[in-house]
């Protein structure tokens, strides 16, 4: 998983290709959305009604990527795609 500001990117099929990558990622995205909705409802009870507005979004992309470690102030693993 990699971060871009407040976004997270997750990859399926690395380092070995996975023929079902789209299905795997769609199920993962759906599970994340369901868990976030459950958590927001649970937090609403203890933190108040505005907490119910917490949400996440999911998007899917399929295609080739290049990956590597970027050096600098903080070395980090990074993915690049079209």
């Amino acid at each position: 998983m990699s971060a871009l500001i407040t976004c997270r990117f997750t990859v399926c099929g690395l380092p070995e290709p996975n023929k079902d990558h789209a299905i795997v990622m769609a199920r993962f995205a759906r599970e994340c959305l369901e868990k976030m909705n459950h958590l927001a409802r649970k937090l609403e009870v203890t933190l108040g009604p505005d907490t119910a507005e917490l949400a996440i979004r999911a998007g899917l992309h399929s295609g080739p990527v290049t990956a590597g470690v970027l050096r600098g102030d903080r070395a980090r693993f990074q993915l690049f795609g079209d």
Side-chain angles (χ1 to χ4, degrees):
M1 207 177 262
S2 180
L4 173 64
I5 315 246
T6 58
C7 298
R8 300 283 184 250
F9 297 92
T10 305
V11 178
C12 179
L14 288 178
E16 298 297 322
N18 181 347
K19 291 181 181 180
D20 295 336
H21 67 276
I23 294 168
V24 170
M25 292 308 293
R27 288 178 179 159
F28 175 73
R30 183 182 63 203
E31 187 175 330
C32 288
L33 292 168
E34 289 171 355
K35 287 183 183 254
M36 181 63 194
N37 289 336
H38 175 73
L39 178 62
R41 286 192 307 271
K42 189 174 176 181
L43 289 174
E44 185 178 16
V45 174
T46 57
L47 299 178
D50 290 343
T51 310
E53 296 176 19
L54 289 173
I56 60 172
R57 62 184 177 153
L60 299 175
H61 169 74
S62 181
V65 297
T66 300
V69 177
L70 296 179
R71 304 256 181 227
D73 293 340
R74 293 182 348 198
R76 66 188 185 278
F77 184 77
Q78 188 69 45
L79 294 170
F80 300 94
D82 289 337

